[in-house]
Amino acid sequence: MISLIVHGGAWNIPADMVEAHRTGVAAALQAGWKVLAGGGSAVQAVESSIQVMEDDPTFDAGRGSFVNALGEIELDASIMNGTTMRCGAVASVQNIRNPITVARVIMEKSDLVLLTGIGAVRFAKEHQLPTCKNDDLLVGRELQRWKKLQTQKKFSPKDAFRGTVPSDTVGAVAMDANGIIVAGTSTGGTPNKHPGRVGDSPLFGCGTYADSAVGGVSCSGWGEGIIAVVLAKSVIDKMEMTGADGDAAASYGIQRLASKVDGLGGIVLLDKRGKPSIAYNTPRMARAYRTSDMNADVVEV
Ligand code: GLY
């Protein structure tokens, strides 16, 4: 059994952006599926899928990300191998086009877990990973949004998940032919965020978690709320401790987010057999999945 699920964010995706999200998650799935179908690893599949969405300006990850209050782009990303239990993450990192790749190298080539800001950039340079200019990540749509937000008095991260303000975090969970489950997540965070603000995406147990004996989870949504309920690990614990199946565990996670902190968001997961599940309480969530039991990709927004 091989299996892959990707997401391109849970929010009120407007009608005129649905097609771009559909195309984006479909391309991300294909990139990761090609890896798995060719006998590649779940780590490579997750990195390849997320790279596609980081490079696609449709999504709030890599190029196309939201701009912080200073007009800069700060990115968060994480990846976790559920068999080795090794993790790698970057937070508030600038000048990196594919933060998921830096997270992977931290996981595989260091004994660290999480690097922030200039330390993460220094690590990327030490490992000959490419850096870029802030302007290479900035797109006109987000520059305009940032300018408009400067005229508004108050805008909290929570607001990004209500109404039609985009909030697009991307992620992927893969199971390879060796039964290794890997989860990863990448985001530009929330619009006009405070410099240095870190959301759930680079925090293990919050936005990302994997345990090949149980399953793997990647989350999207209001980061401060997801951190408060330790969403990804809560979902894994639900499966492990109660025997809940993936659908029930994903629904439990979203109910917990809503009931405990009035949060909005979405979850994609694979259970230990590679069965995909999805739950969200936003109007839409962009996602795509495939398993070796299926003849075609499923792409839904
Ligand atoms: N879920 C992404 C963030 O809040 O940063």
Side-chain angles (χ1 to χ4, degrees):
M1 178 77 166
I2 55 173
S3 185
L4 176 64
I5 185 163
V6 306
H7 73 83
W11 58 288
N12 190 8
I13 301 168
D16 64 355
M17 292 186 77
V18 166
E19 205 43 48
H21 281 73
R22 193 184 299 281
T23 307
V25 292
L29 183 77
Q30 279 168 20
W33 189 256
K34 195 171 158 195
V35 172
L36 292 177
S41 71
V43 170
Q44 185 58 53
V46 166
E47 183 191 9
S48 297
S49 289
I50 291 180
Q51 276 179 346
V52 166
M53 293 184 281
E54 288 175 339
D55 290 341
D56 182 340
T58 302
F59 301 105
D60 172 37
R63 184 163 176 271
S65 285
F66 293 131
V67 177
N68 73 11
L70 294 178
E72 298 165 345
I73 290 178
E74 291 181 325
L75 304 173
D76 299 339
S78 66
I79 188 166
M80 179 168 185
N81 181 324
T83 295
T84 63
M85 304 307 274
R86 295 289 304 277
C87 321
V90 292
S92 280
V93 67
Q94 298 188 1
N95 308 112
I96 299 285
R97 201 184 179 98
N98 292 116
I100 192 67
T101 299
V102 184
R104 177 184 178 173
V105 175
I106 291 171
M107 176 176 77
E108 292 188 332
K109 302 230 164 93
S110 82
D111 52 10
L112 307 166
V113 168
L114 172 60
L115 287 173
T116 63
I118 53 171
V121 177
R122 179 184 281 257
F123 179 94
K125 288 180 180 165
E126 285 164 3
H127 289 79
Q128 286 78 49
L129 299 174
T131 56
C132 67
K133 297 191 182 109
N134 189 55
D135 284 356
D136 295 339
L137 302 174
L138 185 60
V139 297
R141 176 194 68 214
E142 296 311 326
L143 185 59
Q144 293 312 318
R145 187 192 319 283
W146 177 73
K147 283 183 179 162
K148 202 171 159 199
L149 285 170
Q150 303 319 299
T151 65
Q152 291 178 12
K153 270 208 166 105
K154 212 167 164 239
F155 181 85
S156 85
K158 196 172 183 177
D159 295 334
F161 298 89
R162 310 200 182 274
T164 52
V165 178
S167 34
D168 253 334
T169 302
V170 307
V173 186
M175 187 174 87
D176 63 27
N178 294 317
I180 296 172
I181 295 180
V182 173
T185 310
S186 181
T187 189
T190 49
N192 208 34
K193 64 187 180 183
H194 194 287
R197 179 261 185 193
V198 175
D200 59 298
S201 304
L203 303 182
F204 296 100
C206 299
T208 302
Y209 202 77
D211 178 343
S212 301
V214 185
V217 176
S218 173
C219 302
S220 167
W222 176 43
E224 282 73 8
I226 291 172
I227 293 168
V229 300
V230 199
L231 186 58
K233 184 63 163 56
S234 297
V235 169
I236 292 286
D237 286 349
K238 184 76 177 171
M239 290 193 284
E240 186 173 24
M241 310 289 181
T242 72
D245 68 14
D247 291 349
S251 297
Y252 160 80
I254 292 301
Q255 278 161 21
R256 183 171 153 79
L257 180 67
S259 65
K260 294 281 183 188
V261 294
D262 188 28
L264 293 173
I267 290 167
V268 298
L269 72 77
L270 294 182
D271 73 10
K272 64 183 175 190
R273 292 182 193 84
K275 180 182 164 294
S277 295
I278 301 124
Y280 54 98
N281 62 353
T282 48
R284 292 182 184 275
M285 182 171 193
R287 74 273 186 186
Y289 58 92
R290 180 152 190 180
T291 76
S292 44
D293 289 343
M294 295 163 49
N295 295 322
D297 303 346
V298 172
V299 182
E300 294 168 329
V301 180

